[in-house]
Amino acid sequence: MAGDRLTDVLDATYTCLSRYGVRRTTMDDIAGEMGVSRSAVYQYVRGKDDAVRQLARRLHDRALERAAAAATADAPAAERIHGILAAKLDLVLDLAGGAGHAAELLDAKARLSGDICDAFTDRIRELLTEQFTGTGVAAAPTGAAGGTQPDADTEPTPAGTPPPPAGTTLVPAAGSTSTPARATATPLTPAQAADVCLALVIGLESLPAAAHLLRPATDALLTGLLPAPESHS
């Protein structure tokens, strides 16, 4: 029963935070929302700060449970990664799209819940990294960042010569038989691929159609990040 009453306290805390914001919410507000005395609320939380932290932890833990379930699902890697990202996006949309000030619980700089937000993002990153570690990461396309590799007959560049501006096409000098330096493919690490996926979902969070855009955006991104399926022909 104590667990049920704690749930009631946290539900009331959520309602009050949505209505007044973290700073203006008081223990009297929470007690009033529950229809009990303030001393009754103190049986389950140490104060408003404790109630806010427990509420933030509950919301983020529920999202992490969904992400962890997606990460271990019997499904293709792209579907597992989409599920992890969806768990993060759904948390944001549920709070930011709700009434009033609930989105304050997503603020990584918040005094009471910022560390919980950071730990949540770190765990999402770990789950994504594990996916790419298991599948590998596709090589970057030719011409991607990562340096250049000269052909065998390319003349070396004199020491101290500054690199050409970004976007410059390398052309051999008149009469030269050498060929331009050719960009090599440098694959991302699993951790870097995870960061790219996080950047995608964070970028979607502020868009009105975020929930509908996640699937096509993820599919397009993973086409470049995941290795191509092996052909059985």
Side-chain angles (χ1 to χ4, degrees):
M1 295 299 293
D4 293 339
R5 292 304 287 169
L6 176 58
T7 297
D8 292 341
V9 170
L10 299 185
D11 288 346
T13 302
Y14 181 84
T15 299
C16 292
L17 293 187
S18 299
R19 186 180 301 147
Y20 307 119
V22 173
R23 180 173 298 181
R24 292 178 54 202
T25 293
T26 66
M27 287 293 283
D28 285 330
D29 294 327
I30 297 172
E33 183 66 28
M34 294 180 63
V36 300
S37 65
R38 187 171 64 173
S39 61
V41 180
Y42 276 111
Q43 296 179 43
Y44 305 100
V45 293
R46 295 189 298 272
K48 184 191 80 172
D49 288 2
D50 183 38
V52 171
R53 283 188 62 79
Q54 289 201 51
L55 172 62
R57 192 175 300 281
R58 181 180 73 169
L59 294 170
H60 285 83
D61 283 352
R62 286 177 176 175
L64 280 180
E65 289 174 2
R66 295 193 295 272
T72 56
D74 183 13
E79 189 64 28
R80 297 195 301 271
I81 292 170
H82 173 270
I84 295 169
L85 296 178
K88 180 178 183 344
L89 183 62
D90 288 347
L91 172 65
V92 173
L93 297 182
D94 287 345
L95 294 180
H101 303 270
E104 292 179 21
L105 295 171
L106 299 169
D107 186 358
K109 297 180 181 179
R111 177 180 65 87
L112 296 178
S113 56
D115 61 321
I116 296 172
C117 299
D118 285 340
F120 170 79
T121 301
D122 288 344
R123 181 55 184 149
I124 292 292
R125 181 181 289 107
E126 289 173 359
L127 291 172
L128 292 168
T129 301
E130 290 167 3
Q131 298 301 312
F132 287 110
T133 298
T135 63
V137 182
T142 300
T148 58
Q149 177 64 43
D151 288 332
D153 58 350
T154 300
E155 296 178 356
T157 302
T161 302
T168 299
T169 300
L170 299 178
V171 179
S176 172
T177 59
S178 64
T179 57
R182 181 180 58 209
T184 59
T186 303
L188 299 176
T189 66
Q192 289 171 330
D195 283 338
V196 171
C197 290
L198 274 174
L200 169 70
V201 76
I202 290 171
L204 290 175
E205 288 171 356
S206 61
L207 299 181
H212 300 291
L213 292 173
L214 179 62
R215 172 68 69 177
T218 303
D219 289 347
L221 179 64
L222 294 181
T223 297
L225 288 180
L226 291 175
E230 295 183 0
S231 174
H232 299 287
S233 58

